[in-house]
Amino acid sequence: MKILVAMSGGVDSTVAAYILKEKGYEVEGAYMQMLDTPASVCACENARTAAREMDIPFHIIDAKEAFR
C-alpha cells in the first residue's frame, strides 16, 4: 500500500513516515508550500532532507497562490 505523508519538516511527521516505512508501506513525502518566507523555505528543506535520509520520494506542492 502506498501512503503519502504530509511532512512539515518537524519531528512528528518525520517519525510517522519512518514508522510507516519500517512497517513495510510504500511511503512518499510531501510538503505544501503556502508561504514564501525564510521559515517556510527552511521547513521545506528540513522535510526534503528527512525524506532523502529515509530514501523516500519527496514532492513539493506549491499552494502559495491559493493561500494569497
Side-chain angles (χ1 to χ4, degrees):
M1 178 187 305
K2 185 181 284 190
I3 298 177
L4 180 66
V5 176
M7 298 180 72
S8 65
V11 174
D12 294 345
S13 56
T14 300
V15 171
Y18 176 82
I19 290 170
L20 289 166
K21 184 175 178 183
E22 288 296 305
K23 290 188 177 272
Y25 292 99
E26 187 179 346
V27 179
E28 295 191 16
Y31 179 83
M32 185 180 296
Q33 192 170 22
M34 295 177 281
L35 302 171
D36 202 10
T37 63
S40 177
V41 171
C42 181
C44 184
E45 287 306 311
N46 288 344
R48 182 193 321 263
T49 299
R52 186 180 322 117
E53 290 293 321
M54 289 185 280
D55 194 31
I56 63 173
F58 182 72
H59 311 277
I60 298 172
I61 301 166
D62 187 348
K64 292 186 299 272
E65 191 64 36
F67 281 92
R68 281 196 187 153

